[in-house]
Amino acid sequence: MTAAVSQVGRELFWFDRAAGRQIATPEIFGDVVLARKETPTSYHLSVTHDDHLQGISLVTRGEDLFFASNLHRLLQEVLGYDVPEYHHHGLLTGPDGKRFAKRDKSKTLRSMREDGLEPSDIIAMTGQV
């Protein structure tokens, strides 16, 4: 990625609906592996390309992926893609503060609704308004 940053030769920006205008700092990741023999493409390259192919103008992801947007912005520039707007939302977490994840068989939105929670209750759990 360091070669790509120097190839661009200028500051890159992106806009997050919650955090405002951001200066991209992809160099915080050092050199990132975008593909390997056993893994044809990385998450970062895949989502950047998929967003472009689908004409996505607003990318909505969890706040845990906020910093990855710096790398995605560089990939957009190098690949000549349009820059979407971003919104990074709060994450649902358990009482232990650990984020809910499918791999941990965490609660689902459906199960929370079946337990009687309203959408506003679930949104409040993320710390967002």
Side-chain angles (χ1 to χ4, degrees), residues 36-57:
R36 287 193 282 236
K37 184 177 182 180
E38 68 278 2
T39 308
T41 183
S42 72
Y43 165 80
H44 302 293
L45 184 57
S46 294
V47 298
T48 301
H49 187 65
D50 285 349
D51 291 343
H52 169 73
L53 288 178
Q54 296 178 60
I56 302 297
S57 59

Side-chain angles (χ1 to χ4, degrees), residues 16 41 45 88 100 112:
D16 182 85
T41 183
L45 184 57
H88 291 88
F100 289 162
M112 287 184 231

